[in-house]
Amino acid sequence: MSYELVLGNYTYSSWSLRGWLLLHRFDIPFRVRRVDFLDGSVADQVAALRPARTVPVLVADDGAVIWDSLAIAEEIASRHPDAGIWPCDPAARAMARSLAAEMHASYGALRGECPMHLRAAYSDYAISDEARADVARIEDLWSFARARFGGDGPWLCGAYSAADAFFAPIAARFATYGLGTGDAARDYVAAHLGDPAFRRWRAMGIARQEHLPWYDRDAPRTDWPGPAPRAARAVEDGTPENDACPYSGKDITHLLEIDGRVFGFCNAFCRDKTLADPEAWPAFTALL
C-alpha cells in the first residue's frame, strides 16, 4: 500500500502538519504533493480529488480519497493495525480517541486568535477570555491524560499516538504565543518542540521561506523556544565529503558547511532544510 499526501504550507497549515505526522511519525511510506496558498483556492487545486476541498488529503493506491485528518487517522489505523496509531490498551485508546476528537472539534477562540506560525515567537501577546478558557481546558486535559496514561514518557497516552499528532500544532501555538503556565504543559510542549519529526517539518517551512503576512501578529518578537539548531551555512565552493545527496542519492549540486566540513545535496531545498536544523535529519547526521 502506498499513498500520496496533499499538503499546504509547512509554516502555517496546522491540519497539514497533523496529516503528515500521522504517516511520517509511524513509518508509513508516502509521497507529498503540495498546494500553494497563494495560488487561488485550495478547493480548486484539489478539484481532481473530489469531494475533497481542503488539506490534508490522503490518496491511497486503491483510489480511496480521505480528506479529513481524523478520518485519515482512523483509516490508516485500519489499514496498518500494527503501526501504533492508537494505544493498544483499551482505556488508553479510548482516552486518545476522545482527546483527538475534542481537539478536532474545539478551541475555536484559540485557533482564531493564535494561528500556527512556526517561524515566529511572541512575547506579551494578549488573548481573549475565551481563548484563555481554551488554554485552561487544554492544560487540564494534558495533565489528566499524562497522569493517568503517560507513564514515564512525555506523551499523552503512553507511546506517541494520533492524539499527540493532533495536539502537535496546539503545542506549537503554546510555543509561539507563550501560552500555558503549568509544568505539565511546559513539559509536553517541550517534548513536541524537541521531537525530530516536528523539527523536520519546521525545518522544511524555514527552507521554503514562504511568507503569508495575514498570519503575523502585532506583538514583540522573541526567540523560538525549541532546541537551537546547530550552526551551518550554505557555501558556493568546496569539496564535499559525500559523493551523493544523502536524501535522494542523486548528484551533488549544492553545498553546506558545518564545523569546517563540507557536504553536498542534489538541490537547494535538500540543502536548505538541512541548514535550518542539521540534527533533525538522520540521513545527514549519519554523515556527520
Side-chain angles (χ1 to χ4, degrees):
M1 181 67 66
S2 64
Y3 302 94
E4 179 180 69
L5 184 63
V6 185
L7 300 173
N9 187 283
Y10 289 101
T11 296
Y12 308 105
S13 181
S14 58
W15 293 110
S16 294
L17 170 58
R18 289 183 180 94
W20 185 84
L21 285 171
L22 286 168
L23 280 83
H24 181 78
R25 197 58 168 68
F26 296 99
D27 297 321
I28 297 172
F30 66 102
R31 61 191 180 278
V32 167
R33 176 159 68 89
R34 297 176 63 247
V35 300
D36 187 346
F37 285 176
L38 294 173
D39 186 22
S41 74
V42 172
D44 286 345
Q45 293 180 68
V46 300
L49 302 177
R50 189 175 181 275
R53 60 178 183 175
T54 59
V55 288
V57 184
L58 185 66
V59 184
D61 58 7
D62 61 4
V65 176
I66 308 101
W67 66 91
D68 176 89
S69 59
L70 190 54
I72 290 171
E74 294 292 5
E75 187 61 21
I76 61 174
S78 295
R79 293 175 181 236
H80 303 273
D82 297 326
I85 307 298
W86 299 110
C88 293
D89 175 75
R93 184 168 62 248
M95 172 67 74
R97 279 194 160 117
S98 297
L99 289 167
E102 178 167 326
M103 193 279 114
H104 188 263
S106 305
Y107 319 137
L110 177 63
R111 291 180 185 178
E113 296 176 32
C114 303
M116 192 177 84
H117 191 331
L118 298 184
R119 286 163 47 205
Y122 300 100
S123 62
D124 301 320
Y125 184 76
I127 60 174
S128 68
D129 290 344
E130 292 80 7
R132 279 194 291 272
D134 285 345
V135 170
R137 170 62 177 175
I138 292 164
E139 287 199 74
D140 183 57
L141 286 178
W142 289 351
S143 296
F144 183 85
R146 292 189 66 218
R148 186 168 181 187
F149 296 110
D152 295 330
W155 306 116
L156 293 174
C157 298
Y160 189 100
S161 74
D164 299 297
F166 268 71
F167 273 107
I170 296 292
R173 287 176 166 92
F174 274 50
T176 294
Y177 300 97
L179 306 176
T181 58
D183 291 340
R186 283 193 291 269
D187 291 346
Y188 185 63
V189 171
H192 279 288
L193 300 189
D195 179 36
F198 181 93
R199 290 172 65 176
R200 287 191 279 275
W201 174 271
R202 181 170 179 265
M204 289 190 288
I206 294 171
R208 294 214 176 265
Q209 289 293 309
E210 296 166 337
H211 183 217
L212 305 181
W214 54 89
Y215 285 93
D216 294 339
R217 292 296 181 263
D218 184 15
R221 294 281 188 118
T222 188
D223 293 333
W224 178 254
R230 191 168 171 178
R233 66 188 184 99
V235 295
E236 296 295 329
D237 301 305
T239 302
E241 296 184 16
N242 54 315
D243 297 324
C245 178
Y247 308 117
S248 68
K250 295 180 180 179
D251 291 342
I252 288 170
T253 57
H254 291 72
L255 302 176
L256 173 153
E257 181 184 307
I258 182 169
D259 296 337
R261 302 167 64 186
V262 176
F263 299 92
F265 305 87
C266 68
N267 57 48
F269 180 66
C270 284
R271 178 200 62 197
D272 292 346
K273 72 179 186 181
T274 310
L275 183 67
D277 194 347
E279 294 177 319
W281 303 96
F284 179 68
T285 56
L287 296 178
L288 291 175

